[in-house]
Amino acid sequence: MSAQITEVDVPSAGDTAGIGQAVRDYFARVRGGDIGSLPAVLGLVALVILFGVLEGGTFLSIFNFANLINQSAAIIVLAMGLVFVLLLGEIDLSAGFAAGTAAAVLAVVLTNMGMAWPIALLAALLTGVVIGLVIGLLVARLGIPSFVVTLAMFLALQGAMLLIIGEGGTIPIRDDAILVVMNGNMPVILGWVLAVVIVGGFAIINLLAINRRRKAGLAAESMSVWAAKVIALGVLVVVATYLLNQERQLATANVVIQGVPWVVVVILGLLVVLTFILQRTGFGRHIYAVGGNREAARRAGINVKGLMITCFIFCSTLAAVAGVLLASRDNSVSPTTGGAQTLLFAVGAAVIGGTSLFGGRGKVRDAVIGGLVIAVIANGLPLITQQSGIQFVVTGLVLLVAASVDAISRRRASATGR
Amino acid sequence: MANDTPLLSLRGINKSFGPVHVLQNVDLDVRAGRVTALVGDNGAGKSTLIKAIAGIHPFDSGQVTFEGKPVTIHGPKQANDLGIEVVYQDLALCDNLDVVHNMFLGREVKSGVTLNETTMEKRAGETLSGLSVRTLKSLRQQVSSLSGGQRQTVAIARAVLWNSKLVILDEPTAALGVAQTEQVLNLVRRLADNGLGVILISHNMNDVQAVADDIACLYLGQMAAQVEKDQVSSQQVVELITTGRSGDIGMQDNSMGGAA
């Protein structure tokens, strides 16, 4: 259909004029209420500077940087799952204990039954699928509000966990394959390979997209904007890889600890796959449609109920992945795994990252950015003050600020007609 | 134009909801390239008639002919397959999606599992320029940033994207200002000029006078009259809507089965 459009006809006039224009467009969108991850990124930078200035030494140490990744991993994965449910305008309060239950199943199959780790992992993931299916069926088919269903599941799963773990109280995990996820690091050279793959992949995928749009005669991002993005990501990735590849063993012990933690691969993999699903497939598009206007989606022939069930399955299954990470990090599973503030931190992470509680707005990367914000607070504050009360208050305030930004940007969006 | 076959032809349509006989022996002809205004007071049966044509709920009895062939419309999907599209009053757009995504909602073009954004954007652009729409700044802006008239435009463009033959518009100008009403009416006119059959539901006599070729008037579930616009004055149309008759046009007595 583009037969008459020759190469000569493809003008760069249709392209956005350059970096200046791209920046202006972006701020026009932000002013119009399409605020995205901007507050979270600014907040993250501000918090790092604040803790760095207030505390100095330990917070900014390379050891702590790696530690931060470990602390945020489970929350990030849990938040990724919650994004799917939040996009629909629903909530899953049971995700924390879904993680705990899956971890308990993993521990029982692995340690008590002595089976191989792939079987245990599969059993844990399957647990997540089943939990999600039950929640999804109750919400979509019976029409019970997700708040109530998942509140009930929150209680029930807590009990299920106790029953699965049994009288012992804590089940240790000794399988190396599971433990290495949260405790192992990549060889230095592999870390650099990963860095090159990330930046190169980002550059190539975006270049192909620009090319495709040019060929079709549509306005495309200019090359200068593309280059700026690639360079910015490149600097970020190279600095992070360099820092993680430094020896970070604290004094005395003569063991070498260096390299990018393996869990980074898990998180990046999920980020890429889930972003692809949400942004590039019909299924993902329909999730946004249902979150934006359920009736319109239904009339457009979208299977709203099936979609909702699938989203709850995604959420609980990702929670199961988070449960495996928790088990790996603690070397054991106890009745408190996935309990306490785990879920609230994960919901907080998604919302702080820019996912709307009202549905229809949010991205998988929000979970990563928001999860890092939460982890920075949880990690930095104890270094400044010993009072754990302050930590809860501050985390609560940050969540309130994020929810306010969400609500205000929504009001703004309707006021400016955006 | 009276001698070619109508695009859509209804004969002796009946529809009841329980004891309420909403549509009684309704006849209607819609011709390609013409705008047929469907008028009538609240409760006259306009919405019921439209929803049945769109396949939302089927007729109880009566004969439906589309492009000269008898058809029965069981569901919205089948209506779409025939080339019938409805633009509802509430438009059914997703605010959080952009213009292209809304136009292809539920019927996305894919290559493999991925959405083919370039093809969709191109086709959306072609459809909009085919309708001489120049009011949209960018096809990639979110629908929430559009004015009422622009939203209506997107909803109408979505309806014609699928090689549709009959477009049904439910009160498209109800919530619009003067300038935007003008824009939308021009668009409705262009649909017909492009060869589509158009059914326009409206309460606004100015709109009807401005854009309609034929006027079909429902009165208490019966078709009081279907006439060419030039044969009647606004005053007569209002009389048809309120009393079912105007001079020698419309229902001549209160018996069943009014005829044109």
Side-chain angles (χ1 to χ4, degrees):
Chain A
M1 75 202 301
S2 60
Q4 312 98 314
I5 298 173
T6 62
E7 287 301 319
V8 191
D9 274 336
V10 179
S12 48
D15 299 357
T16 47
I19 297 177
Q21 184 61 41
V23 171
R24 275 194 296 280
D25 286 352
Y26 178 73
F27 281 104
R29 281 210 308 277
V30 170
R31 271 198 303 278
D34 186 7
I35 202 157
S37 295
L38 181 68
V41 172
L42 293 181
L44 189 59
V45 172
L47 281 171
V48 169
I49 293 172
L50 184 75
F51 287 136
V53 170
L54 285 181
E55 200 275 333
T58 317
F59 179 75
L60 291 181
S61 71
I62 310 168
F63 173 78
N64 201 36
F65 180 43
N67 199 20
L68 205 64
I69 293 175
N70 247 339
Q71 285 184 339
S72 58
I75 292 174
I76 288 175
V77 174
L78 210 51
M80 283 175 170
L82 282 163
V83 166
F84 278 78
V85 173
L86 290 173
L87 274 177
L88 295 176
E90 305 284 344
I91 185 83
D92 184 353
L93 298 176
S94 68
F97 281 114
T101 308
V105 169
L106 177 90
V108 166
V109 175
L110 208 56
T111 307
N112 295 10
M113 298 184 183
M115 300 224 202
W117 70 267
I119 298 173
L121 185 64
L122 203 66
L125 295 181
L126 213 60
T127 309
V129 172
V130 171
I131 294 171
L133 182 65
V134 170
I135 297 173
L137 284 172
L138 289 172
V139 173
R141 293 272 166 207
L142 276 188
I144 312 173
S146 58
F147 181 86
V148 179
V149 172
T150 59
L151 188 63
M153 289 300 275
F154 171 85
L155 295 169
L157 287 177
Q158 212 170 339
M161 240 180 107
L162 281 176
L163 295 175
I164 294 171
I165 292 175
E167 293 302 312
T170 300
I171 305 177
I173 305 252
R174 298 193 194 86
D175 189 278
D176 283 340
I178 297 293
L179 290 180
V180 78
V181 177
M182 290 294 269
N183 300 301
N185 299 307
M186 303 169 83
V188 170
I189 184 70
L190 213 52
W192 287 115
V193 170
L194 180 68
V196 170
V197 167
I198 294 169
V199 180
F202 178 83
I204 290 169
I205 287 172
N206 278 287
L207 193 62
L208 288 177
I210 292 173
N211 244 338
R212 210 166 42 233
R213 291 182 62 83
R214 291 236 170 115
K215 272 215 183 96
L218 301 169
E221 201 173 62
S222 73
M223 292 313 286
S224 53
V225 176
W226 171 80
K229 281 183 176 175
V230 170
I231 290 170
L233 181 77
V235 169
L236 204 68
V237 169
V238 166
V239 168
T241 311
Y242 174 77
L243 289 178
L244 290 170
N245 274 343
Q246 299 303 303
E247 164 64 48
R248 54 174 175 269
Q249 179 56 37
L250 293 173
T252 54
N254 51 8
V255 192
V256 177
I257 301 182
Q258 64 182 147
V260 178
W262 277 108
V263 68
V264 170
V265 181
V266 175
I267 290 177
L268 285 179
L270 286 174
L271 177 66
V272 170
V273 170
L274 298 177
T275 300
F276 175 82
I277 290 175
L278 275 187
Q279 308 301 327
R280 306 285 303 138
T281 67
F283 168 69
R285 177 63 39 77
H286 294 170
I287 294 177
Y288 283 95
V290 171
N293 187 339
R294 194 164 295 188
E295 176 60 18
R298 198 185 59 78
R299 278 197 218 151
I302 293 169
N303 178 358
V304 176
K305 286 179 181 174
L307 193 92
M308 287 175 73
I309 294 171
T310 316
C311 280
F312 277 105
I313 291 177
F314 262 94
C315 182
S316 296
T317 308
L318 284 163
V321 175
V324 174
L325 296 185
L326 287 171
S328 166
R329 184 175 159 213
D330 297 345
N331 299 348
S332 66
V333 177
S334 75
T336 55
T337 304
Q341 302 95 31
T342 313
L343 170 85
L344 299 180
F345 277 178
V347 175
V351 174
I352 288 169
T355 296
S356 174
L357 285 167
F358 303 99
R361 214 143 41 89
K363 292 201 162 88
V364 180
R365 66 158 191 242
D366 296 349
V368 179
I369 298 169
L372 287 175
V373 171
I374 294 269
V376 164
I377 296 172
N379 175 300
L381 267 185
L383 296 175
I384 295 174
T385 168
Q386 293 301 318
Q387 281 184 284
S388 64
I390 292 180
Q391 193 188 323
F392 287 129
V393 172
V394 170
T395 314
L397 288 179
V398 169
L399 177 55
L400 266 186
V401 169
S404 310
V405 169
D406 177 23
I408 291 169
S409 70
R410 212 180 131 84
R411 275 231 314 259
R412 206 175 165 103
S414 52
T416 57
R418 239 187 194 282
Chain B
M1 68 255 137
N3 48 8
D4 59 358
T5 22
L7 178 63
L8 173 77
S9 181
L10 307 180
R11 287 291 175 269
I13 294 297
N14 283 283
K15 175 73 192 174
S16 299
F17 291 112
V20 187
H21 204 169
V22 185
L23 296 175
Q24 304 170 23
N25 287 322
V26 170
D27 296 349
L28 177 69
D29 287 322
V30 181
R31 291 170 197 283
R34 291 174 72 86
V35 177
T36 304
L38 182 61
V39 297
D41 216 339
N42 290 340
K46 302 189 296 292
S47 298
T48 308
L49 186 61
I50 291 316
K51 282 182 179 157
I53 296 172
I56 308 270
H57 45 59
F59 295 121
D60 294 342
S61 65
Q63 198 185 354
V64 183
T65 319
F66 194 77
E67 292 187 301
K69 290 186 280 283
V71 292
T72 46
I73 302 171
H74 296 297
K77 187 89 183 60
Q78 196 190 2
N80 290 347
D81 290 346
L82 284 172
I84 299 173
E85 296 281 338
V86 187
V87 180
Y88 292 99
Q89 202 169 352
D90 62 1
L91 301 184
L93 299 174
C94 292
D95 275 0
N96 60 333
L97 299 181
D98 66 30
V99 173
V100 178
H101 295 167
N102 265 290
M103 285 177 69
F104 282 88
L105 187 61
R107 296 185 271 196
E108 290 86 358
V109 178
K110 290 178 199 159
S111 32
V113 289
T114 57
L115 299 170
N116 190 335
E117 298 282 354
T118 43
T119 302
M120 287 196 277
E121 186 166 338
K122 268 190 73 145
R123 270 186 64 191
E126 284 162 3
T127 303
L128 284 166
S129 59
L131 295 169
S132 311
V133 172
R134 287 179 208 90
T135 49
L136 290 174
K137 215 165 51 203
S138 158
L139 290 178
R140 286 301 178 186
Q141 58 184 333
Q142 289 193 355
V143 162
S144 59
S145 71
L146 302 182
S147 69
Q150 289 172 323
R151 283 160 186 255
Q152 192 75 48
T153 304
V154 172
I156 293 173
R158 171 165 72 180
V160 301
L161 190 59
W162 304 98
N163 294 322
S164 47
K165 294 166 185 147
L166 173 65
V167 176
I168 302 171
L169 302 155
D170 190 0
E171 300 252 19
T173 62
L176 301 183
V178 177
Q180 296 185 338
T181 299
E182 175 83 21
Q183 274 174 20
V184 169
L185 289 181
N186 284 338
L187 182 55
V188 171
R189 191 61 251 170
R190 270 196 299 275
L191 293 183
D193 292 346
N194 287 357
L196 278 68
V198 178
I199 299 179
L200 172 75
I201 298 184
S202 183
H203 273 118
N204 188 325
M205 279 312 119
N206 293 333
D207 291 2
V208 173
Q209 287 296 335
V211 77
D213 299 303
D214 302 304
I215 298 175
C217 180
L218 276 172
Y219 177 73
L220 296 179
Q222 301 180 49
M223 190 57 78
Q226 182 171 10
V227 292
E228 288 187 30
K229 183 189 73 181
D230 300 337
Q231 296 171 351
V232 290
S233 66
S234 265
Q235 186 56 38
Q236 285 176 297
V237 177
V238 173
E239 282 176 26
L240 281 169
I241 292 172
T242 50
T243 64
R245 59 186 294 181
S246 171
D248 56 351
I249 314 172
M251 297 181 293
Q252 296 307 311
D253 52 53
N254 283 334
S255 69
M256 295 276 289

